[in-house]
């Protein structure tokens, strides 16, 4: 089965420089324009991502494509938290079929080819 992503509102979630849950929650709140009462915890994030009523203007009727980029530093610094974040993204997308969360490959200055990132590939 395929999902037509054409026409969805694309919202970038830039995690470059984020190395903890608080930073992730702040970036999510900012990128999605979440209300002040957003609880900045995993359950609140899952609820907000799957609740079309709090999505950015224009996404309700079109669908939402959340593109997560610059996430590698966070994943490396806090692998268990990052695993939980991915579970939350997946749960929210299951609850709201018009939500798609995509993890961008690369996108961080630290991990660009020729940059200061790892060079352990042959």
């Amino acid at each position: 089965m395929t999902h037509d992503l054409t026409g969805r509102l694309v919202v970038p979630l830039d995690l470059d420089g984020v190395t903890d849950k608080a930073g992730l929650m702040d970036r999510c709140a900012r990128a999605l324009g979440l209300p002040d009462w957003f609880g900045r915890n995993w359950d609140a994030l899952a609820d907000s991502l799957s609740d079309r009523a709090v999505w950015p203007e224009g996404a309700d009727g079109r669908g939402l494509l959340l593109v997560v980029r610059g996430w590698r530093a966070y994943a490396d610094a806090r692998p268990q938290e990052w695993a939980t974040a991915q579970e939350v993204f997946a749960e929210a997308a299951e609850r709201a079929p018009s939500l798609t969360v995509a993890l961008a490959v690369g996108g961080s200055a630290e991990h660009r080819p020729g940059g200061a990132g790892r060079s352990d590939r042959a």
Side-chain angles (χ1 to χ4, degrees), residues 80-93:
Q80 289 180 320
E81 281 183 17
W82 177 240
T84 301
Q86 291 179 85
E87 290 173 15
V88 167
F89 293 147
E91 176 188 329

Side-chain angles (χ1 to χ4, degrees), residues 5-72:
L5 301 180
T6 310
R8 291 188 185 209
L9 178 68
V10 178
V11 173
L13 174 58
D14 187 357
L15 299 182
D16 199 29
V18 171
T19 58
D20 62 13
K21 179 181 170 186
L24 171 73
M25 295 296 167
D26 287 344
R27 295 283 177 94
C28 287
R30 195 172 332 145
L32 294 163
L34 296 177
D36 291 338
W37 48 261
F38 170 60
R40 287 180 163 68
N41 60 59
W42 297 121
D43 289 336
L45 181 59
D47 290 345
S48 295
L49 286 172
S50 60
D51 183 356
R52 296 180 346 187
V54 298
W55 284 2
E57 187 175 333
D60 183 29
R62 298 169 49 190
L64 178 63
L65 172 57
L66 182 65
V67 179
V68 184
R69 59 187 185 202
W71 52 269
R72 287 188 188 264

